[in-house]
Amino acid sequence: MTNFKATIFGMGTAIALLSACASPGVEPAKTVSGLDPARFDTTINEKPVKLFTLKNSNGMEVCITNYGGRVVSLVVPNKDGKPTDVVLGFDNIQQYADTLNSPSDYGSSVGRYANRIKEGKFALGDQTYQLKQNDGVNCLHGGGTTGWMNQVYDAEQIGDSILKLTIVAQDGENGFPGTVKAVTTYKVTADNTLDMTWEAETDKETIINQTNHNYYNLSGDFTKPAYTQVLYVNADNFTPSDKQYIPTGEIKPVEGTAMDFRTPHAVGDSIHSSFDQIQNATGYDHNYCLNTYKDGKGDDTQVCASLYSPESGIFMEMYTNEPGVQVYSGNFQGVGRDADIVRKNGIKYPKHVSVCLESQKYPDSPNHPEWASPTLKPGEKYYSHAAYKFSIK
């Protein structure tokens, strides 16, 4: 027997919640991370939503919902061999879909344009486009609650280790030109790597800049700030931003500043620095200009960043073909009403509980022609790649 309950959440998202009744005395099957797939089995805006599980034979498990292409859990063994979930999130689809009361970008496949565009405006040729302004006067993550991270993708799972998610965004959606077909592919490999590719085509000149928005805490303890996590970023320079997190247009060296992670060190060593960029953001929320990107091409065989937890021994190395990585230290976690929201395992997250490492074109790139271009034209193919490899150190 199946019970149905219709609910309307913020921003007009219609969701029909399905709760499967288990036989008396029989516990529903759960994932290694402790998720109940039945709590994700539903319909949103008349499209089916499920929880998909990818795994390998070495103890790695990644659970993904096709609602926003979100990574819900990512489990790898810690130094004692204990399965450890290392990403933030919710344990049910209701909270992910409730963009009014529990808005989040947890684990999402962000599109059509990750990060911020100043005043939500950009020009292509002689045409100026006005995007949805969802972050003050700026456009953030493609429109946020009406961007791709809150849309239902068509899903195809291939074996135990590959998931393909497809979305078609219409011309004019959130102000973006062109009908775009985009495919996000998640793959779990034998060496405990979460490998992600984003591919897209358009029928009209447009801009695109996709990323994954996992919030990492490699200790597996989400009750404490991630200050002991040791961060490395292979970047000599970064793009300073103003108090609205919009790049000033400058590219400055990290040397001699709190932005320097070329030598790995704990995030907590510098997150409370008096450096103006840290003060503006109350932590890290900055784009780094990766040394692995040269002459218009990124080398995704080289480590561009890494993160390490001394408590769990889990070590994560990042690779990408993109020119930048956004380092975000969860500055809005545990602040204001966010402090009262309960997440996985009944936990309320504190400020700075995680570190995000988002591959990307630089923020506001459409308004900076001197930077790597996010423009996609008909007949061209967009391709972006990021991989996160886990091991014990």
Side-chain angles (χ1 to χ4, degrees):
M1 177 180 178
T2 303
N3 298 325
F4 296 83
K5 180 180 178 182
T7 305
I8 302 297
F9 285 128
M11 304 306 294
T13 299
I15 175 171
L17 304 180
L18 286 70
S19 57
C21 296
S23 301
V26 178
E27 290 290 327
K30 292 187 177 182
T31 66
V32 173
S33 61
L35 297 172
D36 179 358
R39 302 190 72 187
F40 291 83
D41 192 357
T42 189
T43 301
I44 298 179
N45 293 334
E46 301 182 349
K47 299 192 71 173
V49 174
K50 290 181 62 178
L51 187 71
F52 298 85
T53 301
L54 306 182
K55 58 186 178 180
N56 64 17
S57 59
N58 292 317
M60 185 173 185
E61 177 197 79
V62 181
C63 294
I64 302 164
T65 173
N66 58 315
Y67 177 72
R70 293 169 179 263
V71 175
V72 179
S73 65
L74 195 165
V75 170
V76 289
N78 70 7
K79 61 186 178 183
D80 300 317
K82 180 183 177 182
T84 304
D85 187 3
V86 297
V87 297
L88 276 56
F90 299 110
D91 62 8
N92 63 87
I93 196 63
Q94 295 99 310
Q95 285 183 287
Y96 281 112
D98 187 351
T99 57
L100 181 62
N101 297 303
S102 54
S104 78
D105 48 21
Y106 291 146
S108 59
S109 183
V110 180
R112 170 178 319 194
Y113 195 93
N115 219 309
R116 292 171 173 84
I117 296 176
K118 185 178 182 179
E119 297 179 354
K121 291 182 181 180
F122 71 96
L124 287 175
D126 57 2
Q127 179 72 45
T128 297
Y129 295 93
Q130 178 63 64
L131 307 176
K132 178 181 177 181
Q133 294 166 292
N134 64 305
D135 184 54
V137 298
N138 305 311
C139 181
L140 172 63
H141 292 332
T145 55
T146 53
W148 294 1
M149 66 183 180
N150 288 296
Q151 304 297 323
V152 180
Y153 288 68
D154 294 326
E156 177 190 7
Q157 183 162 351
I158 304 170
D160 287 338
S161 61
I162 298 175
L163 179 66
K164 287 194 172 185
L165 301 176
T166 302
I167 192 170
V168 177
Q170 299 303 316
D171 181 28
E173 186 177 277
N174 284 343
F176 289 95
T179 297
V180 170
K181 179 180 180 181
V183 179
T184 301
T185 303
Y186 293 95
K187 183 177 182 181
V188 170
T189 65
D191 63 353
N192 282 6
T193 296
L194 175 58
D195 187 278
M196 293 172 276
T197 58
W198 296 270
E199 300 170 280
E201 295 179 287
T202 183
D203 65 354
K204 183 189 294 186
E205 188 174 19
T206 190
I207 59 172
I208 188 164
N209 179 35
Q210 288 197 258
T211 194
N212 169 261
H213 212 308
N214 277 344
Y215 287 67
Y216 293 100
N217 186 321
L218 303 186
S219 75
D221 182 356
F222 302 158
T223 66
K224 301 174 183 177
Y227 295 152
T228 62
Q229 289 197 105
V230 177
L231 176 64
Y232 163 73
V233 184
N234 186 2
D236 293 333
N237 299 289
F238 76 107
T239 52
S241 56
D242 62 22
K243 292 184 178 181
Q244 292 185 331
Y245 309 99
I246 296 295
T248 62
E250 304 166 285
I251 292 179
K252 288 190 173 182
V254 299
E255 186 170 0
T257 76
M259 310 304 295
D260 195 347
F261 284 95
R262 292 174 299 175
T263 298
H265 66 83
V267 173
D269 291 348
S270 52
I271 200 168
H272 300 295
S273 166
S274 60
F275 186 58
D276 64 344
Q277 289 292 303
I278 300 297
Q279 288 294 306
N280 287 348
T282 68
Y284 290 95
D285 195 358
H286 298 86
N287 171 71
Y288 282 79
C289 308
L290 295 173
N291 294 335
T292 53
Y293 190 89
K294 296 178 181 179
D295 301 321
K297 185 177 181 180
D299 185 351
D300 55 7
T301 67
Q302 292 188 54
V303 175
C304 67
S306 68
L307 199 62
Y308 168 64
S309 168
E311 292 88 352
S312 69
I314 296 173
F315 180 51
M316 181 182 79
E317 296 169 293
M318 178 185 178
Y319 305 81
T320 186
N321 67 331
E322 293 290 356
V325 61
Q326 186 83 4
V327 175
Y328 173 57
S329 55
N331 309 326
F332 295 108
Q333 299 291 310
V335 177
R337 68 174 185 170
D338 186 88
D340 296 322
I341 299 176
V342 177
R343 277 83 171 194
K344 286 186 292 187
N345 301 312
I347 295 173
K348 296 179 180 180
Y349 295 152
K351 187 173 182 177
H352 297 152
V353 68
S354 59
V355 174
C356 301
L357 297 172
E358 308 157 58
S359 58
Q360 62 179 5
K361 302 292 189 297
Y362 298 171
D364 199 34
S365 281
N367 295 311
H368 294 274
E370 69 276 17
W371 294 346
S373 175
T375 302
L376 181 69
K377 298 178 180 180
E380 297 177 342
K381 292 187 177 181
Y382 170 82
Y383 175 81
S384 181
H385 176 234
Y388 300 79
K389 181 180 180 181
F390 296 86
S391 60
I392 296 300
K393 181 177 176 182

